[in-house]
Amino acid sequence: MNNTGLYTKIIKRIAAELGFHSCGIAKAQKLDEDAKRLADYLNAGYHGEMNYMENHFEMRTDPRILVPGCKSVISLMYNYFPEQKQEEGIPKISKYAYGTDYHNVIRKKLKQFFYRIENEIGKVEGRAFVDSAPVLEKSWAARSGLGWIGKHSCLIAKQQGSFFFIAELIVDLELEYDTPINNYCGSCTRCIDACPTAAILPDKILDASKCISYLTIELRDKIPNELSGNSEGWIFGCDICQDVCPWNRFSKPHHESSFLINDLLINRNVKGWEDITEEVFRELYIHSPIKRSKWEGMKRNLAFIKTKKPG
């Protein structure tokens, strides 16, 4: 076995030992087709107020600019599908936010990953990312054969579903590269049909400016009046399009203790959200993804879920 094959085997073994559900590898190169799709997306204004998506366009579409000298993009999937669910009848929180902020959890694992690679292979130049840099993570995961991008724009893994975090290691190692798999969405339109704000458009385009996740997390201004009454009870994020996806019937509960549901933070009723002070919010949610919306945002989101549909 040459070094390329040996190094690939070592990396995939380390990924499994660190608890990553899947590991795929693609050659570092410019994503020409994705660059065109991204440019069209931004020009159409589907990104709403997420102006950061307009920054570093060349880096976002070519990892060789982001990480000079890189040769491979290693994509990793980490399961967050919970065994325990929220209580019925309370404001809904997206499953990814049930426990500790995933950035902190996965970032530690990526640091371990780099340490172990260098311990077994030798000095490796590169960088690790988890939803924190201009990287087209879903595109790289699809290119490396971990799944396909569904009509809701999420990555779907066959027989596994879509409730995964995606992370990358971009390194200067020559490795064996995986190949993309087929798209198995077929004629299914359940995600499109179920979206209460009609945010899912044809050709796997998500109009983020209408998406409940965007409205309750990324948006800093008032939620547009025309979308009032369409929250379906979601106060932070939204899982509707994933919950209705037939492939998620294969989802298995995660084994990450940091992602276990925190009843004090997640199972909070309407009155609990009404009564929470800014000081208490900051203290309680300091290690939670929910802190991203801030206290003011959660108060706004509370009004969003309490608004009735017109008529």
Side-chain angles (χ1 to χ4, degrees):
M1 182 182 292
N2 61 27
N3 284 346
T4 300
L6 176 61
Y7 294 167
T8 301
K9 186 176 180 180
I10 290 172
I11 285 169
K12 292 196 172 185
R13 172 176 52 79
I14 293 173
E17 290 173 354
L18 287 174
F20 290 100
H21 191 277
S22 302
C23 173
I25 305 171
K27 182 178 180 180
Q29 58 189 15
K30 184 176 180 181
L31 301 176
D32 291 310
E33 183 177 338
D34 292 272
K36 183 182 184 307
R37 284 181 61 87
L38 178 59
D40 291 343
Y41 187 87
L42 296 173
N43 289 335
Y46 292 139
H47 59 310
E49 295 182 5
M50 294 184 290
N51 297 324
Y52 63 84
M53 292 184 66
E54 302 173 18
N55 301 332
H56 311 297
F57 186 89
E58 295 300 323
M59 281 187 180
R60 201 175 291 274
T61 55
D62 190 343
R64 298 169 301 179
I65 298 175
L66 179 63
V67 184
C70 71
K71 297 177 181 177
S72 302
V73 179
I74 303 167
S75 293
L76 303 156
M77 290 168 56
Y78 201 79
N79 184 18
Y80 70 85
F81 185 74
E83 183 171 21
Q84 186 181 1
K85 304 298 190 294
Q86 273 188 284
E87 296 173 3
E88 292 291 331
I90 63 173
K92 300 174 187 175
I93 305 290
S94 185
K95 295 177 185 62
Y96 86 84
Y98 281 5
T100 302
D101 191 332
Y102 67 95
H103 294 91
N104 300 331
V105 175
I106 297 179
R107 194 175 289 124
K108 289 179 182 178
K109 288 184 174 292
L110 295 178
K111 288 181 180 178
Q112 289 180 286
F113 209 137
F114 253 115
Y115 172 80
R116 292 188 58 179
I117 288 175
E118 293 196 321
N119 189 50
E120 296 195 39
I121 293 176
K123 181 65 176 175
V124 175
E125 296 293 337
R127 295 177 65 185
F129 304 98
V130 52
D131 192 25
S132 58
V135 179
L136 297 178
E137 54 195 18
K138 289 181 286 189
S139 296
W140 285 111
R143 184 171 284 248
S144 65
L146 297 187
W148 70 93
I149 297 177
K151 294 175 183 177
H152 49 19
S153 81
C154 298
L155 186 84
I156 304 173
K158 194 176 183 182
Q159 308 298 326
Q160 298 163 14
S162 62
F163 289 104
F164 292 90
F165 297 121
I166 302 174
E168 297 82 26
L169 296 176
I170 302 180
V171 297
D172 65 351
L173 289 173
E174 287 274 9
L175 299 168
E176 290 182 346
Y177 302 125
D178 297 296
T179 56
I181 65 172
N182 292 330
N183 184 312
Y184 292 97
C185 284
S187 60
C188 178
T189 59
R190 292 189 192 181
C191 59
I192 298 172
D193 301 337
C195 180
T197 58
I200 305 174
L201 307 178
D203 197 26
K204 299 183 286 188
I205 295 173
L206 177 71
D207 183 351
S209 67
K210 294 181 179 179
C211 176
I212 292 173
S213 284
Y214 166 83
L215 298 173
T216 57
I217 301 174
E218 301 290 346
L219 183 66
R220 292 292 173 242
D221 294 333
K222 182 178 181 293
I223 294 173
N225 290 333
E226 63 268 24
L227 297 175
S228 294
N230 288 304
S231 73
E232 298 288 331
W234 292 91
I235 196 172
F236 183 89
C238 177
D239 291 335
I240 291 174
C241 63
Q242 296 191 82
D243 286 338
V244 301
C245 177
W247 288 104
N248 277 323
R249 70 185 185 275
F250 297 112
S251 297
K252 301 286 194 304
H254 66 75
H255 300 291
E256 173 55 63
S257 59
S258 297
F259 295 160
L260 293 176
I261 194 167
N262 186 324
D263 289 311
L264 177 65
L265 306 186
I266 305 305
N267 288 323
R268 183 177 292 276
N269 59 23
V270 169
K271 189 175 188 309
W273 283 112
E274 288 175 336
D275 292 345
I276 193 170
T277 65
E278 184 172 7
E279 182 181 8
V280 171
F281 176 85
R282 287 180 176 178
E283 182 178 347
L284 285 178
Y285 291 91
I286 188 171
H287 299 299
S288 166
I290 295 173
K291 68 180 180 294
R292 183 172 176 83
S293 284
K294 301 182 179 179
W295 178 78
E296 300 92 338
M298 294 304 287
K299 292 294 184 179
R300 176 205 59 188
N301 297 347
L302 182 63
F304 181 44
I305 70 168
K306 293 174 69 176
T307 303
K308 303 290 185 183
K309 282 188 179 182

